[in-house]
């Protein structure tokens, strides 16, 4: 018996792994469901597929449901984030010409210092910096704006942010349409392997605990199909737990590499899963702890404070009223639905649903159901914190 079939939209990225693994490793079947995974060419396609009812759920950029709640982007139906699928996982890359200028001026491509990399990039740019991002409302864009503005290059005033679907990012750099990009893996690695650019920084160096993708559903569907949604949340949570083990990497990369999913060599995909990132066509490699996280440190918990940070950033650059934006945003990340779905599992859930973002310098124990939860380091590169209660 196959079970109830749920259609789910996704973009070919490594961080779609929880959905692919839930289906391929039987976690969905354990919940009596099957996932009909539908690959889309762009984030606008995924958003529209979900908004107009062509799929029941979607692998989604974390700011998209928040932007929809704020009335941005011309989106349709109200969307809800019922789980975070992944933290981090993006890279900032530069063209060969820009990389050469950076090296000539002494930048070491250490791949771990957002302050040094940002200052070097600003100094090396001639004219207006053209940066490709997968979607206007994305963590890619928000972290770029945050990073460059904090270093004195006001964005978007001094930066030309261009929308490029992730699979086309390397091509856009090869044809000279962009000088730099911020994209999820494996598409940064694809640019390196194609010899068209080098990787400057992981976005985890800007914010070490950024919610990258969420499991999104239409808000009306969440209310009407609560039991079915609970099954989906649990299946994806179990897939994330499996992915959280280092022992899963080889098999996971092989599953992701199949033609119907990412259709790329498993070796390239395993870089993101292991944090061993090849940053240049000459084969230079950097090790990044926490490059992409699917489970550990309550990575999948939809913290309302994360949504409020996103709402505040979106409001700041679009001219919306910030307090109202925070209120609307916090209602999008449904930690209550997540708790209900996982109540009868072994999940060790945090007692709180909101926290001060950027306040943890090291892994830190927090109050939780079983008393064993340790949150990962949570810091912004410039030392700032975001306290929803103090804004």
């Amino acid at each position: 018996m196959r079970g109830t079939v749920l259609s789910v939209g996704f973009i070919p990225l490594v961080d779609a792994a929880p959905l692919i693994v839930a289906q391929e490793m039987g976690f969905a079947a354990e919940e009596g469901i099957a996932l009909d995974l539908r690959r889309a060419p762009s984030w606008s396609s995924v958003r529209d597929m979900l908004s107009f009812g062509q799929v029941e759920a979607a692998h989604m950029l974390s700011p998209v449901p928040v932007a929809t709640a704020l009335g941005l982007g011309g989106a349709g139906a109200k969307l809800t984030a019922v789980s975070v699928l992944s933290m981090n996982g993006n890279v900032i890359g530069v063209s060969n010409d820009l990389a050469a200028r950076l090296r000539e001026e002494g930048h070491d491509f250490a791949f771990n210092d957002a302050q040094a990399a940002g200052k070097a990039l600003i100094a090396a740019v001639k004219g207006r910096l053209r940066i490709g991002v997968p979607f206007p409302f994305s963590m890619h864009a928000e972290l770029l704006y945050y990073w460059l503005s904090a270093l004195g290059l006001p964005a978007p005033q001094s930066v030309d942010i261009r929308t490029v679907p992730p699979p086309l990012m390397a091509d856009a750099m090869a044809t000279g349409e962009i000088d730099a990009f911020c994209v999820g893996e494996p598409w940064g690695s694809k640019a390196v392997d194609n010899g068209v650019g080098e990787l400057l920084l992981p976005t985890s160096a800007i914010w070490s605990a950024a919610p990258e993708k969420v499991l999104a559903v239409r808000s009306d569907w969440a209310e009407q199909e609560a039991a079915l949604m609970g099954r989906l949340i649990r299946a994806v949570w179990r897939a994330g737990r499996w992915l959280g083990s280092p022992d899963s990497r080889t098999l996971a990369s092989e599953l992701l590499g199949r033609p119907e999913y990412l259709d790329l060599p498993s070796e390239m995909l395993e870089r993101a899963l292991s944090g061993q990132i090849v940053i240049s066509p000459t084969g230079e490699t950097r090790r990044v702890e926490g490059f992409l996280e699917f489970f550990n440190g309550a990575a999948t918990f939809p913290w309302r404070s994360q949504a409020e940070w996103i709402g505040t950033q979106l409001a700041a650059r679009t001219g919306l009223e910030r307090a109202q934006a925070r209120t609307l945003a916090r209602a999008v990340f449904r930690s209550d639905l997540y708790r209900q779905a996982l109540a009868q599992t072994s999940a060790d859930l945090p007692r709180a649903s909101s926290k001060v973002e950027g306040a943890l310098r090291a892994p830190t124990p927090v109050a939780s159901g079983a008393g064993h939860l340790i949150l990962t380091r949570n810091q912004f590169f410039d030392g700032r914190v975001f306290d929803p209660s103090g804004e």
Side-chain angles (χ1 to χ4, degrees):
M1 180 172 153
R2 195 172 178 221
T4 302
V5 179
L6 294 178
S7 55
V8 184
F10 78 100
I11 289 284
L13 289 158
V14 176
D15 57 28
L19 294 167
I20 294 168
V21 165
Q23 176 60 23
E24 295 292 342
M25 294 297 293
F27 299 114
E30 287 178 17
E31 288 291 336
I33 58 176
L35 306 185
D36 175 15
L37 297 170
R38 301 184 184 179
R39 191 164 104 173
S42 68
W43 286 114
S44 57
S45 298
V46 173
R47 181 198 62 189
D48 292 346
M49 287 165 65
L50 182 60
S51 295
F52 297 112
Q54 295 171 343
V55 295
E56 279 91 21
H59 166 232
M60 187 68 72
L61 297 157
S62 59
V64 168
V66 175
T68 301
L70 301 185
L72 299 171
K78 184 179 178 184
L79 304 178
T80 289
V82 295
S83 175
V84 172
L85 290 176
S86 61
M87 289 197 311
N88 306 325
N90 301 322
V91 290
I92 295 169
V94 295
S95 67
N96 288 332
D97 288 346
L98 190 47
R101 289 204 297 274
L102 285 161
R103 291 185 184 278
E104 287 169 6
E105 294 174 14
H107 185 60
D108 61 4
F109 281 76
F111 211 60
N112 60 5
D113 188 335
Q115 187 105 1
K119 288 182 176 179
L121 177 62
I122 292 169
V125 169
K126 296 178 180 178
R128 191 174 175 87
L129 181 62
R130 302 169 302 162
I131 306 181
V133 300
F135 198 67
F137 307 117
S138 61
M139 194 56 71
H140 314 79
E142 298 316 320
L143 291 176
L144 283 174
Y145 289 135
Y146 182 92
W147 177 51
L148 295 174
S149 296
L151 293 174
L153 187 66
Q157 297 92 329
S158 300
V159 180
D160 182 5
I161 302 289
R162 303 186 177 187
T163 301
V164 181
L168 301 181
M169 203 67 77
D171 293 341
M173 182 163 279
T175 57
E177 297 174 39
I178 54 175
D179 309 301
F181 58 66
C182 182
V183 71
E185 278 294 274
W187 302 110
S189 289
K190 182 69 170 175
V192 170
D193 285 10
N194 286 2
V196 300
E198 299 189 27
L199 302 184
L200 178 67
L201 199 69
T203 53
S204 58
I206 299 172
W207 182 11
S208 64
E212 176 52 33
K213 303 299 189 305
V214 295
L215 178 62
V217 299
R218 293 184 307 282
S219 300
D220 58 354
W221 188 87
E223 299 299 327
Q224 295 162 10
E225 299 287 354
L228 199 52
M229 181 189 62
R231 295 187 199 178
L232 177 61
I233 292 171
R234 287 190 294 274
V236 173
W237 175 79
R238 291 189 176 100
R241 181 175 60 179
W242 183 83
L243 284 161
S245 168
D247 294 338
S248 72
R249 292 170 185 163
T250 299
L251 179 53
S253 62
E254 291 172 357
L255 293 174
L256 293 172
R258 290 179 178 176
E260 63 268 35
Y261 299 131
L262 274 65
D263 194 19
L264 287 169
S266 60
E267 178 277 328
M268 182 188 296
L269 305 179
E270 194 167 352
R271 297 176 200 175
L273 298 174
S274 66
Q276 294 283 357
I277 309 298
V278 178
I279 69 163
S280 74
T282 61
E284 289 179 83
T285 302
R286 302 288 185 268
R287 167 71 181 164
V288 184
E289 292 293 336
F291 177 79
L292 175 59
E293 185 58 68
F294 294 111
F295 183 74
N296 296 310
T300 62
F301 189 83
W303 296 94
R304 294 190 184 272
S305 48
Q306 294 173 335
E308 290 188 65
W309 184 88
I310 293 169
T312 300
Q313 296 301 117
L314 288 171
R317 69 180 178 87
T318 59
L320 297 177
E321 204 281 315
R322 296 190 190 190
Q324 183 183 25
R326 286 197 303 274
T327 299
L328 292 171
R330 90 178 256 110
V332 171
F333 276 36
R334 295 294 301 272
S335 51
D336 56 330
L337 298 181
Y338 181 90
R339 289 182 189 282
Q340 290 170 21
L342 296 178
Q344 303 305 314
T345 70
S346 62
D348 191 9
L349 303 179
R351 295 289 190 191
S353 295
S354 187
K355 64 186 189 301
V356 178
E357 302 294 345
L360 302 182
R361 294 181 176 273
T364 303
V366 296
S368 65
H372 304 302
L373 182 60
I374 298 176
L375 297 186
T376 57
R377 184 175 70 89
N378 184 343
Q379 281 193 291
F380 294 100
F381 84 99
D382 56 356
R384 276 189 275 180
V385 299
F386 175 76
D387 184 351
S389 65
E391 286 286 316

